[in-house]
Amino acid sequence: MTRRAQILATAAELFAARGFHGVSVADLGAACGISGPALYKHFPSKDAMLAEMLVSISEELLAVGRQRVAAADGPVAALAALVDWHASFALGQRALIVVQDRDWESLPATARERVRALQREYVDLWAEQLRLVHDGLAADTARARAHATFGLLNSTPHSGLLPDGPMHQLLVEMALGALGVRR
C-alpha cells in the first residue's frame, strides 16, 4: 500500500468515526504519524482527500464490476459475481460507506458530480444484467432493484453482526433473493 493510500485509509476511518468536520488536518497527521502540514505533500487539502477517497472507490466499484460481468458465463453468473464483489466491498470498506452517507454534502461539487456519474454507470451495469435475467423488466424497475440491493449490502456498517465470512454469505444470499436470482 502506498503512503498516499495509507493516508486515505486512515482519513476514512477518522471521518467515519468523527465526521469530516470533526477531524482536523492536525488529527489526520497525528494518526498518520506525521505533522498536519506534512499531509499537504500528498494532498492539497482535506477536501481533496475526501474527494479522492470517494471518487476512487466509485471508480473501483465500476471497474471491478465491469470485469466481473465480462468474465461471467451469462447474466445470472454476472449478477452473482456483482453481488459477491459488492458484498466484499461492503465488508471491507465499512468506513467509506459511512463517510459517503454522512459526509456527502462536504464533498466538493465537481467530485460529487463525478461520483454520481460513476454510480449511475454502476447501477446501469446491474440493471442491464437484471433485464437479461428477467424478461420484460422495465429499465426503471431494474435500477430500483439494484438501488434496493445496494441498500441491503451497504447496511453492513450498521448490521454486520456476524463475523465477515458468515456475514458475506448471508449478504450474498439475501441480495440474490432481493434481485430475484436463483443460481
Side-chain angles (χ1 to χ4, degrees), residues 88-136:
S88 294
F89 155 75
L91 289 166
Q93 301 292 337
R94 287 174 169 100
L96 286 175
I97 293 170
V98 171
V99 170
Q100 179 161 324
D101 285 349
R102 187 182 47 224
D103 295 313
W104 177 255
E105 291 302 318
S106 297
L107 192 61
T110 56
R112 196 175 322 136
E113 290 168 17
R114 177 75 178 133
V115 169
R116 281 291 184 229
L118 291 162
Q119 289 174 338
R120 279 190 297 275
E121 288 183 62
Y122 189 59
V123 168
D124 286 344
L125 183 68
W126 285 61
E128 180 182 332
Q129 298 307 307
L130 278 165
R131 293 186 75 204
L132 292 170
V133 169
H134 301 290
D135 189 41

Side-chain angles (χ1 to χ4, degrees), residues 31-52:
C32 294
I34 58 177
S35 71
L39 285 172
Y40 295 119
K41 292 178 187 174
H42 302 278
F43 298 93
S45 66
K46 191 172 84 164
D47 289 350
M49 276 186 238
L50 179 64
E52 185 167 326

